[in-house]
Each structure stands twice: as C-alpha cells, then as structure tokens.
C-alpha cells in the first residue's frame, strides 16, 4: 500500500470518528427542541439522515482505499491454498 493511500485511509478513519462524535452534540440533538421542520420531519431526523449518508460514503471510500490481497507484501510468495 502506498503512503498516499495509507494517509487517505487514516483521514477517512478520522473523519468517521469526527462525524460520529458530532452526531451526539447539541448541533444534531438539541435539548427539547423539535423545530424547525423540513418536509414534515424535524431537524434532528434530517441531521441523522445526513450523518448516516456521510458514514456510508466514508465506509465506501475506506473500502476503495484499503489494500487488497494482491497488494499485501506478506502474501507475495504464498499460494492461494496456503493463505486460507
């Protein structure tokens, strides 16, 4: 795995941790407030939807950046049968 991909993967991890932490702040879950409404749903529900979509996007990005079996230098000399 190249240094650039590894750094990108760590940035994705950090972004996921940050989004997860922000999800429990008063920015997303205000205390005793259900206003404003948007398309018939409260702001808290919309914020939850945005957080979920963001985490799904980050997970797919992490899957693209993660190393494959062919890129693993430890497995370079071994056959398929000996890997299992």
């Amino acid at each position: 795995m190249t240094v650039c991909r590894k750094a990108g993967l760590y940035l994705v991890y950090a972004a996921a941790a940050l989004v997860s932490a922000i999800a429990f702040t008063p920015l997303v879950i205000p205390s005793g407030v259900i206003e404003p409404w948007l398309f018939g749903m409260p702001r808290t529900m919309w914020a939850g939807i945005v957080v979920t979509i963001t985490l799904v996007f980050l997970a797919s990005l992490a899957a693209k950046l993660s190393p494959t079996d062919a890129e693993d230098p430890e497995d370079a000399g071994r056959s398929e049968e000996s890997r299992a």
Side-chain angles (χ1 to χ4, degrees):
M1 177 166 23
T2 65
V3 174
C4 187
R5 286 181 77 178
K6 194 171 191 176
L9 194 56
Y10 286 134
L11 283 174
V12 170
Y13 291 159
L18 183 67
V19 168
S20 298
I22 288 174
F24 296 103
T25 64
L27 179 68
V28 175
I29 306 173
S31 177
V33 178
I34 60 170
E35 298 292 332
W37 288 75
L38 183 63
F39 300 118
M41 290 191 288
R43 182 184 84 174
T44 302
M45 184 174 282
W46 279 107
I49 291 169
V50 170
V51 165
T52 302
I53 290 171
T54 304
L55 288 175
V56 168
F57 171 74
L58 289 172
S60 67
L61 190 59
K64 289 188 183 293
L65 290 174
S66 65
T68 61
D69 288 338
E71 294 175 354
D72 194 1
E74 295 176 3
D75 291 341
R78 298 191 324 196
S79 65
E80 287 292 325
E81 292 83 26
S82 65
R83 289 183 195 173

